[in-house]
Amino acid sequence: MHYFSASATATLTVLSAAALTQALSTWDAAYEKAQESLQSLTQDEKAGIVSGVTWEGGPCVGNTYAPKSIAYPSLCLQDGPLGIRFANPVTVFPAAINAGATWDRELIRARGAAMGAESKGLGVHVQLAPVAGALGKIPSAGRNWEGFGSDPYLSGIAMQEAIEGMQGSGVQACAKHYILNEQEHGRDSMSSNIDDRTMHELYLWPFYDAVKANVASVMCSYNKINGTWACENEAVLNGLLKEELGFRGYVMSDWNAQHSTVESANTGMDMTMPGSDFNQPPGSIYWDSNLVEAVANTSVSQDRLDDMVTRILAAWYLLEQDEGYPEVAFSSWNGGKASVDVTANHGDVARTIARDSIVLLKNENQTLPLKNPASLAIIGSDAIVNPDGANACTDRGCNKGTLAEGWGSGTAEFPYLIAPLDGIQKRVASNGTKIVTSTTDDATAGAEAAAGADMAIVFITSDSGEGYITVENNAGDRNDLNPWHDGNALVKAVAAVNTKTIVVVHSSGPVILETILQQPNVVAVVFAGLPGQESGNALADVLYGDVSPSGKLPYTIGQSEEDYGITWVKDGANDDFSEGLFIDYRHFDQNEIAPRYEFGFGLSYTRFNFSGIQVNVDATSGPATGAVGVGGAADLYEVVGTVSLVVTNIGDVAGAEVAQLYLGFPDTAPATPPKQLRGFQKLALEPSANGDVEIELRRRDISYWDVAQQQWVVPTGTFDVYVGASSRDIRLTGTFTV
Ligand SMILES: *[C@@H]1O[C@H](CO)[C@@H](O)[C@H](O)[C@H]1NC(C)=O
Ligand SMILES: *[C@@H]1O[C@H](CO)[C@@H](O)[C@H](O)[C@H]1NC(C)=O
Ligand SMILES: *[C@@H]1O[C@H](CO)[C@@H](O)[C@H](O)[C@H]1NC(C)=O
Ligand SMILES: *[C@@H]1O[C@H](CO)[C@@H](O)[C@H](O)[C@H]1NC(C)=O
Ligand SMILES: *[C@@H]1O[C@H](CO)[C@@H](O)[C@H](O)[C@H]1NC(C)=O
């Protein structure tokens, strides 16, 4: 019972956060109010509602003009995806990539709810999150950690939960970056050229879930798609998003991603951000008074401007922000000190997610959990907080001290940061373990500290972020997938002198671990991602077995970077997405490349048995025929069957397992990846306990995008059903025929 006590407490916190969600108004009701308010507005006020007031022109990173004729504020838009940027105190949650690694729908929702509550408390109307683009097709791409993992289904479920959590707390969510912004190099100039099927089955997929979850806003991205800027792309904005997906909210530009007055308006953009002129040479604020002029000279219709305003007002009414919404309680530009403390008990949520996202990769002879070693060497600069301060580098644009967020606009300021050494020291305080440290990355010093200790824990990192900051020669995207600061040499030196060496990895994405795994004395490897402010506490919870690790990789760890078959294109080049559907595990499976640790992999301190699979699917083949509503054709979301099974904890301690469902499509769906994730469920189980898993399949889960029919189509033939503990550890199989 000891093993689960911490979890039980945290689960209560999570449930109460989720229970605080408020009922949403409906889009129809919100549109009615918006259309009524629209009647009172002048043309200048309408242009003001759709235009930012310029960078640093208001307290938030984005602010619109407040009209006088109706009671509607200067909207406050603020980053970002793991906490509120430029404000303090706020909670720095684990990055979204860690939320994805929990594979825990309830925790992802709780994280969204807590972030949304902090936003609302600070008067932020629109929180610029969550992220489904980058989806993460390029393992070295800088911003993958802002999203939930390199699979569209996992990303889509996480988008839904995050949005429902955030909007349930009253803040407008913003699904971004729409779309195909898969790398940092050249993002402001490159074109992502993509075929229609890949667009639908990989990159657009999670935006379906976002729209279906009633997301208030979508952010168009910096790049071009098929040669046309994302923020003036008729096919992408009016076509896919507003017509096919039935999106009723508004499209805002990424910051300075707008390139025209008329084109952007007529192709479906609804709000320009931040409304200032970052251009070289200057001279183009595209909307504001220019939009009024464009309507006057009829190049943009009055209906289009009214539609923009209606969409923006409707989103505000949808979230009921017209009723007693707090005033903005901080300014981004003067240190961000908030006049209220909104952090509540969100540190508990952060700790739970950090803990449950830890992926145990290797654990020889049950080295972990630790059993009170007499002495423990803690090695590496990642074990401690940056001596200059946790927030010393602007937008976390350096890799000094423990790594708990990436860098760029998707960061927030730590209110405090529990480093691994802090967490471990606190945990062993009463147990008499002697701690020896070497808190630099110097291999000689590390080996000296480790030589006399019972066990050694070596901390290594790999960092990435947004391209406007270059860190240690990495311009956003990583130069390679190796550990930074010569982490391989540090591990080798320590493992040469200590027979029980444990490696802990903090990283924004996959790291090549071959050198480390070749050291016979490396007996355990713990992958902790980007865990946020509660890093050290969460790590100690797992290292000491207060809970079993239960995270699963949200991407593949290959044996080499070349094995992924994909890297970022250089500045000035375009990306033709020639790998098509075959990214991450789809690529490894298709080409029969053995990964080091496959997508979905993660060990536990206990063992699980899978049994009693039952597949019950009753679907008709052919295209979806439902009327388009919010989220697309209605019948895409109809449940057409279930896969059920029983998971039993057959080990000695409590733990949690993720039952993962993959489908193999019949050949009538041409050239489809061998296995695709189409369901998962996480269960926490005491020793000897079993739990029922029931995974529902929706029509879209058994459909592929048929380019000729321009529709999601259920193919005829026999589907293979694979259920397992990872994408390669398949425990049960079945079939169904359509
Ligand atoms: C991009 O171009 C490809 C090739 O012509 C086409 O199949 C696809 O539908 C286009 N997609 C968009 C969003 O324009
Ligand atoms: C109309 O006005 C807009 C904004 O000044 C300008 O960009 C556009 O070129 C004008 N179009 C015509 C046909 O005059
Ligand atoms: C693990 O246990 C086996 C069997 O006792 C032993 O042969 C092996 O050396 C151990 N491995 C390590 C790394 O201690
Ligand atoms: C540490 O000591 C406490 C108090 O003596 C004990 O309850 C706990 O089990 C010990 N922890 C470990 C990991 O042995
Ligand atoms: C484990 O699962 C298998 C089927 O996969 C089943 O035959 C066996 O009875 C199960 N054992 C336990 C202990 O549940």
Side-chain angles (χ1 to χ4, degrees):
M1 296 311 100
H2 167 68
Y3 278 85
F4 236 53
S5 54
S7 171
T9 318
T11 302
L12 282 178
T13 310
V14 163
L15 285 174
S16 61
L20 285 173
T21 57
Q22 66 189 49
L24 281 181
S25 181
T26 66
W27 279 113
D28 282 344
Y31 262 69
E32 256 178 53
K33 291 181 190 165
Q35 276 151 356
E36 196 183 320
S37 293
L38 180 76
Q39 308 309 317
S40 312
L41 295 168
T42 67
Q43 196 76 333
D44 285 348
E45 286 175 331
K46 290 176 183 177
I49 284 172
V50 306
S51 298
V53 302
T54 77
W55 182 244
E56 300 195 18
C60 304
V61 301
N63 313 270
T64 55
Y65 293 95
K68 292 207 171 66
S69 312
I70 60 170
Y72 175 83
S74 166
L75 214 62
C76 165
L77 299 86
Q78 195 74 2
D79 297 306
L82 58 62
I84 302 160
R85 188 185 184 197
F86 293 153
N88 62 75
V90 299
T91 302
V92 175
F93 293 92
I97 197 69
N98 279 57
T102 67
W103 296 62
D104 187 323
R105 297 180 69 139
E106 193 177 281
L107 283 182
I108 296 169
R109 175 179 288 252
R111 177 178 175 276
M115 289 200 313
E118 293 194 9
S119 279
K120 179 172 180 178
L122 293 181
V124 172
H125 299 95
V126 187
Q127 182 165 5
L128 304 173
V131 175
L135 181 63
K137 74 161 185 161
I138 303 169
S140 55
R143 298 182 76 180
N144 293 349
W145 56 272
E146 296 184 38
F148 299 97
S150 305
D151 175 88
Y153 182 91
L154 177 60
S155 169
I157 295 292
M159 289 295 280
Q160 178 203 329
E161 295 293 352
I163 290 162
E164 289 177 358
M166 290 169 72
Q167 296 199 159
S169 291
V171 72
Q172 299 182 41
C174 175
K176 66 183 196 174
H177 307 85
Y178 186 72
I179 195 173
L180 309 183
N181 184 177
E182 289 293 318
Q183 65 172 59
E184 288 301 284
H185 282 84
R187 71 175 185 186
D188 299 308
S189 56
M190 71 182 296
S191 180
S192 294
N193 303 322
I194 194 170
D195 70 89
D196 191 32
R197 182 174 174 198
T198 303
M199 175 68 126
H200 278 85
E201 294 188 19
L202 294 186
Y203 303 95
L204 191 60
W205 180 287
F207 285 96
Y208 264 87
D209 296 279
V211 172
K212 180 72 177 168
N214 293 311
V215 72
S217 64
V218 169
M219 183 190 289
C220 53
S221 55
Y222 286 114
N223 53 290
K224 296 174 186 172
I225 295 134
N226 285 1
T228 303
W229 296 113
C231 291
E232 55 183 57
N233 193 309
E234 172 71 20
V236 166
L237 300 182
N238 278 338
L240 294 176
L241 185 60
K242 290 184 175 174
E243 282 165 32
E244 187 179 313
L245 272 63
F247 175 57
R248 299 188 76 182
Y250 58 97
V251 177
M252 72 175 78
S253 70
D254 204 338
W255 270 230
N256 206 42
Q258 187 185 28
H259 293 269
S260 59
T261 299
V262 174
E263 278 300 298
S264 58
N266 289 342
T267 54
M269 206 181 98
D270 303 301
M271 180 188 280
T272 180
M273 277 293 147
S276 40
D277 187 359
F278 290 176
N279 298 288
Q280 294 299 331
S284 37
I285 290 180
Y286 292 110
W287 282 3
D288 200 349
S289 59
N290 283 324
L291 185 56
V292 175
E293 198 176 308
V295 175
N297 73 20
T298 70
S299 47
V300 173
S301 69
Q302 184 67 46
D303 280 355
R304 181 71 265 272
L305 175 58
D306 287 351
D307 178 48
M308 294 175 194
V309 175
T310 304
R311 286 168 173 273
I312 293 166
L313 293 179
W316 183 70
Y317 285 120
L318 181 77
L319 274 294
E320 296 171 358
Q321 293 187 340
D322 56 322
E323 289 164 24
Y325 207 76
E327 297 287 317
V328 177
F330 69 103
S331 168
S332 303
W333 319 118
N334 65 3
K337 184 81 194 133
S339 57
V340 285
D341 185 341
V342 292
T343 55
N345 63 350
H346 300 158
D348 294 348
V349 180
R351 180 173 181 163
T352 307
I353 295 167
R355 189 182 70 194
D356 288 1
S357 60
I358 289 174
V359 183
L360 181 63
L361 294 178
K362 175 178 170 133
N363 190 22
E364 225 174 286
N365 293 352
Q366 286 149 32
T367 302
L368 295 176
L370 295 174
K371 297 149 195 92
N372 266 346
S375 58
L376 186 57
I378 304 289
I379 315 288
S381 65
D382 182 50
I384 58 167
V385 174
N386 179 358
D388 302 333
N391 300 311
C393 303
T394 304
D395 294 338
R396 314 297 80 74
C398 63
N399 185 8
K400 284 188 194 156
T402 197
L403 180 64
E405 344 176 29
W407 75 77
S409 65
T411 59
E413 283 155 35
F414 292 109
Y416 60 84
L417 173 55
I418 309 292
L421 180 58
D422 308 329
I424 291 167
Q425 270 171 336
K426 205 185 320 172
R427 187 64 181 68
V428 301
S430 57
N431 294 66
T433 296
K434 185 179 169 222
I435 303 271
V436 238
T437 64
S438 171
T439 55
T440 71
D441 298 321
D442 182 80
T444 311
E448 257 171 46
D454 268 10
M455 304 179 94
I457 310 182
V458 189
F459 290 87
I460 61 171
T461 64
S462 178
D463 199 1
S464 72
E466 199 170 351
Y468 67 88
I469 302 175
T470 292
V471 178
E472 300 184 29
N473 213 25
N474 293 262
D477 304 319
R478 288 185 287 171
N479 295 334
D480 57 54
L481 302 184
N482 295 319
W484 284 29
H485 306 165
D486 214 351
N488 284 336
L490 182 61
V491 172
K492 275 169 89 168
V494 170
V497 299
N498 190 298
T499 58
K500 285 186 187 143
T501 300
I502 297 161
V503 176
V504 174
V505 188
H506 285 123
S507 176
S508 58
V511 175
I512 303 304
L513 297 167
E514 298 306 296
T515 303
I516 287 166
L517 294 169
Q518 278 155 16
Q519 313 309 311
N521 289 336
V522 171
V523 288
V525 178
V526 177
F527 206 92
L530 299 174
Q533 70 187 36
E534 286 285 337
S535 173
N537 285 334
L539 183 69
D541 288 341
V542 167
L543 289 179
Y544 283 89
D546 296 333
V547 292
S548 291
S550 65
K552 300 279 187 173
L553 289 176
Y555 44 67
T556 298
I557 294 183
Q559 297 185 49
S560 72
E561 185 174 0
E562 291 67 43
D563 283 352
Y564 293 86
I566 191 167
T567 187
W568 39 269
V569 299
K570 295 210 167 68
D571 284 323
N574 295 327
D575 184 349
D576 290 330
F577 284 59
S578 52
E579 72 289 336
L581 296 172
F582 299 98
I583 67 167
D584 200 77
Y585 69 89
R586 290 164 168 80
H587 162 81
F588 283 80
D589 287 353
Q590 176 75 5
N591 297 292
E592 296 179 349
I593 300 167
R596 175 53 58 197
Y597 297 114
E598 71 273 15
F599 177 85
F601 179 82
L603 301 171
S604 172
Y605 295 153
T606 185
R607 291 171 298 124
F608 298 95
N609 195 37
F610 289 53
S611 61
I613 186 168
Q614 287 188 338
V615 180
N616 194 342
V617 177
D618 183 12
T620 47
S621 64
T625 54
V628 173
V630 171
D635 51 342
L636 289 174
Y637 299 91
E638 276 171 14
V639 174
V640 294
T642 57
V643 174
S644 55
L645 59 139
V646 176
V647 175
T648 309
N649 183 346
I650 54 170
D652 300 328
V653 296
E657 177 62 300
V658 181
Q660 303 168 34
L661 166 65
Y662 298 83
L663 291 184
F665 279 59
D667 292 340
T668 44
T672 302
K675 278 190 230 97
Q676 305 201 81
L677 183 71
R678 285 295 185 263
F680 62 86
Q681 190 176 319
K682 190 166 191 173
L683 294 102
L685 294 169
E686 297 291 327
S688 303
N690 60 45
D692 294 329
V693 174
E694 186 173 276
I695 296 170
E696 291 185 335
L697 288 168
R698 304 159 300 181
R699 186 171 184 89
R700 64 186 289 232
D701 299 326
I702 62 167
S703 297
Y704 72 103
W705 180 256
D706 186 304
V707 174
Q709 297 190 54
Q710 285 294 294
Q711 193 49 274
W712 292 100
V713 168
V714 175
T716 56
T718 299
F719 287 74
D720 290 314
V721 176
Y722 307 98
V723 177
S726 81
S727 62
R728 291 197 169 208
D729 181 5
I730 301 302
R731 307 286 184 83
L732 301 169
T733 58
T735 60
F736 65 87
T737 300
V738 177

